[in-house]
Amino acid sequence: MAGQALSVAIVGGGIGGLTLALALRERGIEARVYERSSELREIGAAVALSANGSRVLERLGLGAELAACSAVPTELVYRHWRGGRRLVAYPIGAAYEERFAGPYYGIHRADLQRILAGACGNVQLGRQLTGLASAGSGYRLEFADGSAETADVVVGADGVHSTVRGWVAEVPPARYSGTSGFRGLVPVEQLPSLPDPGAIQFWMGPGGHLLHYPIGDGSVVNFLAVLDEPAAWASDSWTEEITPHQAEAAFDGWHPAVREMVAATTLHQRWALFGAQPLNRWHRGGVVLLGDAAHAMLPHHGQGANQTIEDAVTLAECLARQTLLSALDRYEKLRRGRTRAVQRSSWVASGLLHLPDGPAAEARDRALERIGGTLEWIHSHDALAVSSAPASPPRAATR
Ligand code: FAD
């Protein structure tokens, strides 16, 4: 069916929204990105890009810029919380890149967003979506500044607290994991006890774990510390302030490298870690969800951003090949099962990382010898190859 080119509005200029805009542009579909923040930056947070995400970004032409801003971890290492013994190690570096046809990168989130935004062009900052309504065959978007726009397709890439999601689906309450996390960026020179600062390392102990990896030029590590907080999350907010003393006390008795890292952070805020429950649908008419808005997950496989990147290239490919509603159906079909499997696996990992010393922890450590199998199904997935396999005769999306 020949028709008018689609007008696409993307709500949210995070990793998913920006990747989608770029992937659509590559396929000849221009999209406008509406981002509520007045500037694209995130202080004190990094992201690990695994091959299933980095491969997509490299194909979008961002390889050289990403490489210039990223650290390539040497190994994935699991360690004992107190003595620091290496329990399991899996090579990353060049061997990983060869195996998975894409690099493993540690990158500052602000660098990733800057690279994506620079490449995709039409990002309108300070545009917070407040309302959405049907308008003719498309939609009317209303913004906090009183302005309005129209579009044929609206993509809710507006994150874990999505505004668009309520328009698309019934939203079940998020499930509290019984854990909370805090994070930080720490110069390696402040970590004299840290073995292998170039590796991704999990320190696993009773009631908690700490994960860190190098970012940028490797002189800084990003860490995420997670602790059991079995009581229901009391605060109305998903975050709350913690004192430096609380953070340090939680890791009392752990290896000096862990204590140095926790003591050095300047971010004194912890997040309740919630897992999203499956939505009854991902699109309603021409309004569709992507990334955390559709499937927020626990961070234990480092996959939230990578799954979002997979979503983005899949949605772009579907829109470029099929009529609108078939494209959105196919996108949902391709992504729902995959993201659900990663969500579930991250949830299971949460409990395993916090076992006290004893037979259960020893069984876990033996099972970790097969970590390559987990990486295999998650990191080797090629979202572009899957979505570009013809489902029906190719034709560009039209209204
Ligand atoms: P976001 O990146 O959250 O972007 C949403 C955007 O929408 C934001 O810019 C927001 O300002 C904007 N927005 C929201 N509402 C509106 C509105 N009404 N109007 C306009 N704009 C709006 N993932 C990994 O893959 N690897 C990791 O190592 C990793 N580490 C993590 C560590 C922690 C502590 C946490 C909390 C998460 C981590 N993640 C990681 C997950 C990852 O950050 C997210 O899954 C990813 O950012 C989701 O991308 P997104 O585009 O869906 O949402």
Side-chain angles (χ1 to χ4, degrees):
M1 183 175 76
Q4 214 176 311
L6 279 184
S7 76
V8 180
I10 300 172
V11 181
I15 294 166
L18 296 174
T19 306
L20 176 64
L22 190 53
L24 285 171
R25 169 177 282 189
E26 200 194 28
R27 289 161 178 79
I29 302 173
E30 281 300 320
R32 290 157 284 155
V33 179
Y34 300 109
E35 165 57 43
R36 71 176 168 193
S37 308
S38 53
E39 58 181 317
L40 288 175
R41 73 193 175 110
E42 169 96 6
I43 301 295
V47 70
L49 289 175
S50 48
N52 51 315
S54 66
R55 205 188 299 123
V56 170
L57 300 181
E58 285 192 335
R59 285 181 193 151
L60 289 170
L62 305 180
E65 275 187 280
L66 284 175
C69 295
S70 301
V72 177
T74 51
E75 287 179 290
L76 168 62
V77 180
Y78 291 87
R79 288 184 184 271
H80 185 263
W81 62 286
R82 187 166 46 201
R85 189 163 36 95
R86 281 164 69 101
L87 302 165
V88 172
Y90 182 92
I92 305 289
Y96 173 95
E97 180 163 357
E98 196 175 329
R99 171 74 197 83
F100 293 104
Y104 204 119
Y105 281 151
I107 185 169
H108 199 291
R109 196 177 289 246
D111 284 333
L112 178 57
Q113 287 198 264
R114 177 182 50 75
I115 292 168
L116 286 167
C120 78
N122 195 352
V123 184
Q124 301 187 19
L125 299 174
R127 305 290 303 271
Q128 179 176 2
L129 184 87
T130 50
L132 186 58
S134 297
S137 60
Y139 301 92
R140 175 182 158 89
L141 298 94
E142 291 163 4
F143 296 91
D145 61 6
S147 62
E149 306 279 354
T150 57
D152 301 321
V153 187
V154 177
V155 182
D158 50 348
V160 64
H161 302 295
S162 172
T163 301
V164 177
R165 184 171 49 204
W167 212 88
V168 170
E170 289 161 23
V171 184
R175 196 168 153 212
Y176 177 51
S177 65
T179 58
S180 72
F182 61 96
R183 57 189 176 178
L185 294 176
V186 183
V188 171
E189 63 188 22
Q190 290 183 33
L191 302 168
S193 307
L194 179 63
D196 299 337
I200 309 168
Q201 303 198 88
F202 280 90
W203 300 75
M204 303 179 293
H209 77 274
L210 184 141
L211 156 74
H212 63 86
Y213 53 83
I215 64 165
D217 63 4
S219 62
V220 169
V221 298
N222 172 65
F223 80 82
L224 170 66
V226 178
L227 291 164
D228 286 345
E229 304 280 353
W233 186 254
S235 168
D236 286 341
S237 162
W238 284 35
T239 60
E240 74 182 23
E241 296 301 312
I242 48 170
T243 64
H245 174 71
Q246 274 175 296
E248 288 171 45
F251 287 95
D252 194 26
W254 286 55
H255 188 277
V258 171
R259 287 187 279 123
E260 284 165 5
M261 222 174 284
V262 169
T265 184
T266 53
L267 297 170
H268 298 120
Q269 197 174 45
R270 64 177 185 160
W271 286 260
L273 296 179
F274 282 84
Q277 308 247 43
L279 298 175
N280 58 337
R281 58 182 169 208
W282 283 26
H283 79 92
R284 179 154 78 102
V287 183
V288 60
L289 301 174
L290 173 148
D292 277 7
H295 53 66
M297 56 185 66
L298 296 181
H300 308 312
H301 285 325
Q303 280 297 307
N306 290 294
Q307 291 304 310
T308 300
I309 292 168
E310 287 188 15
D311 286 351
V313 73
T314 304
L315 181 55
E317 189 64 17
C318 290
L319 285 172
R321 284 171 167 257
Q322 292 177 277
T323 53
L324 178 56
L325 293 181
S326 316
L328 299 187
D329 282 344
R330 180 148 194 268
Y331 159 71
E332 179 174 337
K333 197 168 158 199
L334 289 175
R335 297 302 302 154
R336 184 188 273 278
R338 161 100 175 136
T339 51
R340 189 73 193 124
V342 181
Q343 263 182 326
R344 278 208 202 94
S345 186
S346 305
W347 187 274
V348 171
S350 180
L352 293 175
L353 292 167
H354 297 187
L355 294 172
D357 291 347
E362 285 161 20
R364 174 209 54 208
D365 298 345
R366 285 193 297 278
L368 278 173
E369 299 282 356
R370 299 189 295 279
I371 187 66
T374 305
L375 298 187
E376 184 68 39
W377 75 266
I378 299 179
H379 296 197
S380 65
H381 185 83
D382 190 332
L384 179 58
V386 170
S387 53
S388 58
S392 56
R395 54 191 179 183
T398 56
R399 272 196 276 180

